[in-house]
């Protein structure tokens, strides 16, 4: 059964700095997702990664997928306060529609 | 607003009571999902519909839980004989089968259930 682990679970960083969130998964995943969740709000889709070597970028966020290492990364460039949120990665397996989520990384960007 | 709509936003109930939640997906999205999220955790999959057919169900979905999507549009999730452990945010999501967004799930704002 697919398991998804994120680290770190908590991340406090200063504005302007770069950092990376890691998402490891236990078995082959068909698709890898990144979501953002603000406190008390629902999940917002950021990226969907479908194949090995896939890289997607939106603003200060860049996601990549290495299926051989079973690793996805979410890289934050020059963080700003508005990026403060919880970030989840999730994978699917074996043609199932079920998304298996990690526990999330709570990011706080300090001025 | 054309997003996924869930009702109610909050529900407080006493242990043993039945509750029902409603989800209206984005128009023309034929895939619909229910997830449950507790504080500090990622969402957990409950069930998935394609049109009116319930195609996947989690083992988390005990006999007390039932979901329907009778006409392939809105869906309901019912919990019978609620327990305190059912307290959570219940999230609905929808997705199209075709088009550039067919790999994305669009989530609603959720229904927060508190069982006293």
């Amino acid at each position: 059964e697919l398991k998804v682990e994120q680290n770190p679970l908590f991340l406090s960083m200063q504005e302007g700095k770069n950092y990376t969130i890691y998402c490891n998964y236990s078995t082959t995943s068909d698709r890898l997702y990144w979501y953002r969740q603000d406190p008390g709000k629902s999940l917002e889709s950021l990226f969907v990664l479908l194949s090995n070597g896939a890289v997607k970028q939106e603003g200060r966020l860049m996601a990549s997928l290495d299926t051989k290492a079973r690793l996805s990364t979410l890289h934050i460039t020059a963080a700003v306060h508005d990026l403060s949120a919880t970030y989840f990665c999730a994978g699917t397996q074996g043609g199932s529609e079920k998304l298996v989520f990690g526990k999330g990384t709570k990011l706080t960007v300090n001025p | 607003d054309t997003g996924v709509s869930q009702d109610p936003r909050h529900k407080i109930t006493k242990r043993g009571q039945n509750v029902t939640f409603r989800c209206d997906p984005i128009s023309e999205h034929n895939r619909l999902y229910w997830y449950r999220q507790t504080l500090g955790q990622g969402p957990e999959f409950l069930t998935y519909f394609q049109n009116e057919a319930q195609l996947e169900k989690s083992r988390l979905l005990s006999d007390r839980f039932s979901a329907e999507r009778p006409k392939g549009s809105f869906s309901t999730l019912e919990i019978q004989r609620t327990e305190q452990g059912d307290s959570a945010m219940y999230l609905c999501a929808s997705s199209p089968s075709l088009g550039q967004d067919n790999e994305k799930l669009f989530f609603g704002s959720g229904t927060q259930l508190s069982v006293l």
Side-chain angles (χ1 to χ4, degrees):
Chain A
E1 186 173 323
L2 178 65
K3 292 190 189 318
V4 177
E5 284 191 8
Q6 289 181 238
N7 71 84
L9 297 183
F10 298 93
L11 176 56
S12 181
M13 56 191 296
Q14 283 188 310
E15 279 191 329
K17 299 292 188 184
N18 304 333
Y19 209 85
T20 300
I21 299 171
Y22 297 89
C23 175
N24 291 90
Y25 52 96
S26 59
T27 65
T28 304
S29 179
D30 303 325
R31 291 167 280 170
L32 200 293
Y33 295 77
W34 284 96
Y35 281 89
R36 168 183 172 144
Q37 187 174 40
D38 291 291
K41 301 288 179 69
S42 192
L43 287 89
E44 175 191 353
S45 178
L46 295 174
F47 303 107
V48 183
L49 303 167
L50 301 177
S51 59
N52 187 42
V55 176
K56 291 195 175 178
Q57 182 161 7
E58 181 78 30
R60 300 174 188 274
L61 300 178
M62 183 173 72
S64 66
L65 180 62
D66 181 343
T67 57
K68 293 179 183 177
R70 296 180 187 158
L71 171 69
S72 180
T73 60
L74 181 67
H75 187 73
I76 302 152
T77 302
V80 293
H81 179 69
D82 284 352
L83 290 179
S84 297
T86 298
Y87 293 85
F88 291 96
C89 68
T92 61
Q93 181 187 25
S96 168
E97 288 295 321
K98 168 185 171 181
L99 260 67
V100 178
F101 282 82
K103 289 189 174 183
T105 296
K106 185 173 181 180
L107 171 66
T108 304
V109 181
N110 302 305
Chain B
D1 185 13
T2 57
V4 177
S5 176
Q6 291 189 246
D7 184 68
R9 290 294 307 275
H10 300 93
K11 179 72 178 178
I12 300 173
T13 191
K14 291 183 180 177
R15 188 164 48 95
Q17 297 294 304
N18 299 343
V19 294
T20 301
F21 311 140
R22 178 181 169 122
C23 171
D24 287 89
I26 293 172
S27 180
E28 298 177 359
H29 280 194
N30 60 346
R31 297 175 178 168
L32 187 145
Y33 310 77
W34 285 99
Y35 283 80
R36 179 172 70 183
Q37 186 178 23
T38 53
L39 200 61
Q41 301 295 317
E44 293 177 298
F45 172 81
L46 293 178
T47 191
Y48 158 65
F49 290 85
Q50 174 131 349
N51 300 311
E52 65 275 11
Q54 189 174 20
L55 297 184
E56 287 190 64
K57 251 172 89 165
S58 168
R59 285 170 290 177
L60 293 174
L61 217 64
S62 76
D63 291 346
R64 298 184 297 106
F65 287 71
S66 62
E68 292 183 344
R69 195 182 182 198
K71 296 181 182 178
S73 56
F74 73 92
S75 176
T76 58
L77 177 68
E78 181 184 18
I79 309 174
Q80 295 183 326
R81 305 180 303 282
T82 52
E83 301 172 356
Q84 286 183 327
D86 297 331
S87 296
M89 175 76 82
Y90 289 83
L91 294 165
C92 177
S94 71
S95 175
S97 293
L98 301 171
Q100 66 176 17
D101 287 333
N102 72 329
E103 299 289 352
K104 280 187 186 179
L105 272 66
F106 295 82
F107 281 85
S109 297
T111 294
Q112 181 67 52
L113 173 65
S114 298
V115 182
L116 306 178

